[in-house]
Amino acid sequence: MIKQIFYRIFHIVLYTILLYGCSFNENTIVRNYKNTHISKDSVDHYIKDNMKELKVPGLSFSIINNGEVVYHNSYGYANLEKKLPVNSETIFEAASLSKSIFAFFVMKYVEEGKLDLDKPLYKYLPYSDIAYDERYKKITARMVLSHRSGFPNWRENEKDKKLKIKFEPGTRFEYSGEGYQYLAMVLKKIEGGDWKLLEKSFQNKVAKPLGMNSTVFIQNKTTRKLKAEPYDKDGHWIDWENNYWYKKDDGIFVAPSSLHTNSLDFSKWMIAIMKNEHLSESSYKELLGYESKAFTSDSGTAYYYTLGFMTGDKEFKNVYFHSGSNDGFTCWYVFDKANKWGYVLFTNSEKGVELGEKMFGYLGGMTVWK
């Protein structure tokens, strides 16, 4: 009797080990860009080692295989001083990753017939800040989204701190947050002239349909409570309440830089694009097609800006990516639309772009820019 009980227990234990052992092995494997298995332990070690080396306090990270999130983890601290860990709900600034989602949002207005990509924006909304230069009347949404408006990145970077047109609109590429914000002002006008109404429109057209319940352009009580603290390149806390950009942009829908989100929420949008969801085929063709040649790398790869995305030719022809950098928050995403593969990371440091690019070498087996 005792022997029978022993054998029963033994078989139950053995079955449990085999069952959960196999399940564990299946669930701890992801695929890299070259479709090779890589363990989650390997990913964890790589991230932790590089976070330590780069002095990254906290990080939210997700990997997508075959159009599904197969790996997600949170690392480090949202608040170093209080030792509050990053978790799946922690909110980060998406910085310039905002541009990609904003461009997606813009295409909803195009589909509704409320906006024409090639109609001069002044016909929707005259812009008094640049009215002294008639060339601004040539600027279109397409030029803005592909960084061919002629505007500088930010007027604050100019010696006289004034908005200006640096070259004939539409003739070449120069990265510009100012252009994106002019287009946001146009959409605000379409929505009734209030930033909160534009945020409501974003929620209704993009965030809610995609299930992005923690993603906003204008912060609310929940995102403020869950938001990570920012740190500089040396790991020192940034006094965000007295930061120029925070005080200037708080409460405003800043199209090129104010998105707040995390890797799980952001991955839902990436997956929608991989699966051609929520926009028409013609909209995706507009959104992802080459618009502006940004530069050619030393290896001869040409990099282009589409409407809100970076991409390339040769081995990067199906690859879309973007980096983001605000004071104390940097981030990166990349995906291959054809293979439905990608990853995204958010950090509360100023080394997230560097880490994102290193991850592409690790997970993708390729190096960008070189």
Side-chain angles (χ1 to χ4, degrees):
M1 182 68 177
I2 294 175
K3 185 181 290 187
Q4 288 177 331
I5 294 173
F6 172 81
Y7 277 121
R8 286 182 62 189
I9 293 173
F10 173 80
H11 284 297
I12 290 171
V13 171
L14 179 61
Y15 175 78
T16 302
I17 290 172
L18 289 173
L19 175 64
Y20 287 97
C22 290
S23 177
F24 176 79
N25 287 335
E26 290 175 357
N27 291 334
T28 56
I29 297 295
V30 298
R31 292 180 181 272
N32 66 13
Y33 185 59
K34 294 184 176 180
N35 204 33
T36 301
H37 284 159
I38 184 170
S39 73
K40 290 185 178 180
D41 283 344
S42 174
V43 175
D44 282 340
H45 285 305
Y46 187 86
I47 289 177
K48 289 174 182 176
D49 287 347
N50 279 277
M51 285 179 67
K52 184 177 180 180
E53 177 186 339
L54 298 173
K55 298 180 181 178
V56 174
L59 183 144
S60 175
F61 181 69
S62 295
I63 299 176
I64 299 166
N65 286 173
N66 298 319
E68 295 181 356
V69 174
V70 294
Y71 177 87
H72 166 74
N73 211 343
S74 305
Y75 302 85
Y77 295 102
N79 187 316
L80 270 174
E81 291 71 28
K82 295 182 179 180
K83 299 300 179 184
L84 297 178
V86 174
N87 60 41
S88 61
E89 295 184 327
T90 303
I91 298 296
F92 295 82
E93 291 186 19
S96 286
L97 271 58
S98 306
K99 294 179 175 69
S100 302
I101 285 192
F102 178 71
F104 184 93
F105 179 42
V106 167
M107 293 310 300
K108 300 297 289 186
Y109 285 86
V110 174
E111 290 185 349
E112 293 168 359
K114 297 178 180 179
L115 183 77
D116 186 322
L117 288 173
D118 299 305
K119 181 178 178 179
L121 293 181
Y122 88 95
K123 292 186 176 181
Y124 296 97
L125 178 69
Y127 197 4
S128 59
D129 289 5
I130 196 66
Y132 68 89
D133 190 330
E134 285 289 310
R135 291 180 297 174
Y136 103 91
K137 293 184 176 180
K138 299 178 181 180
I139 297 172
T140 66
R142 186 185 301 277
M143 293 178 192
V144 162
L145 294 175
S146 59
H147 296 295
R148 294 181 292 124
S149 66
F151 287 153
N153 189 18
W154 295 110
R155 67 189 73 185
E156 285 87 349
N157 298 334
E158 301 299 305
K159 289 182 178 179
D160 59 7
K161 310 295 182 185
K162 292 182 180 180
L163 181 61
K164 61 189 65 174
I165 295 176
K166 303 176 72 174
F167 56 86
E168 188 71 13
T171 60
R172 64 182 178 88
F173 173 89
E174 183 167 330
Y175 199 74
S176 175
E178 291 282 0
Y180 269 69
Q181 196 56 18
Y182 180 23
L183 181 51
M185 292 164 61
V186 169
L187 297 190
K188 182 181 74 167
K189 172 71 178 305
I190 291 172
E191 291 298 338
D194 186 282
W195 288 123
K196 290 181 180 179
L197 292 177
L198 186 59
E199 173 66 30
K200 182 179 180 180
S201 176
F202 170 73
Q203 293 298 320
N204 290 334
K205 295 180 190 295
V206 178
K208 290 180 180 178
L210 294 180
M212 301 173 72
N213 301 319
S214 300
T215 299
V216 298
F217 271 89
I218 299 177
Q219 286 203 81
N220 55 44
K221 290 181 179 179
T222 300
T223 61
R224 290 181 193 276
K225 180 180 179 180
L226 297 174
K227 185 176 177 180
E229 293 290 320
Y231 297 88
D232 66 18
K233 59 183 178 63
D234 296 314
H236 299 139
W237 178 72
I238 293 174
D239 183 4
W240 52 268
E241 286 186 298
N242 292 307
N243 178 272
Y244 169 80
W245 293 103
Y246 173 81
K247 291 192 290 186
K248 174 178 179 287
D249 296 340
D250 190 36
I252 296 175
F253 189 113
V254 186
S257 61
S258 74
L259 191 74
H260 285 69
T261 187
N262 55 44
S263 69
L264 278 177
D265 246 29
F266 196 87
S267 65
K268 295 174 184 177
W269 169 79
M270 294 169 65
I271 291 168
I273 294 179
M274 293 175 186
K275 295 182 176 180
N276 289 319
E277 295 175 340
H278 298 280
L279 288 178
S280 67
E281 182 179 348
S282 60
S283 289
Y284 274 117
K285 186 176 180 180
E286 292 280 16
L287 196 68
L288 300 175
Y290 294 165
E291 290 285 347
S292 310
K293 186 174 182 179
F295 62 91
T296 301
S297 70
D298 294 339
S299 65
T301 300
Y303 289 91
Y304 298 86
Y305 210 90
T306 70
L307 302 184
F309 301 77
M310 281 293 295
T311 187
D313 61 9
K314 300 181 180 179
E315 69 268 38
F316 291 104
K317 64 180 180 180
N318 293 314
V319 177
Y320 298 88
F321 57 97
H322 214 295
S323 62
S325 181
N326 283 357
D327 290 347
F329 292 96
T330 51
C331 44
W332 168 275
Y333 78 80
V334 61
F335 66 85
D336 185 309
K337 182 170 167 55
N339 293 322
K340 297 182 176 61
W341 179 95
Y343 69 85
V344 57
L345 63 85
F346 293 94
T347 75
N348 57 341
S349 81
E350 297 186 344
K351 292 294 186 71
V353 176
E354 184 176 345
L355 179 54
E357 292 179 354
K358 290 184 72 174
M359 287 298 298
F360 193 53
Y362 169 70
L363 290 174
M366 291 189 286
T367 303
V368 293
W369 313 127
K370 303 297 185 184

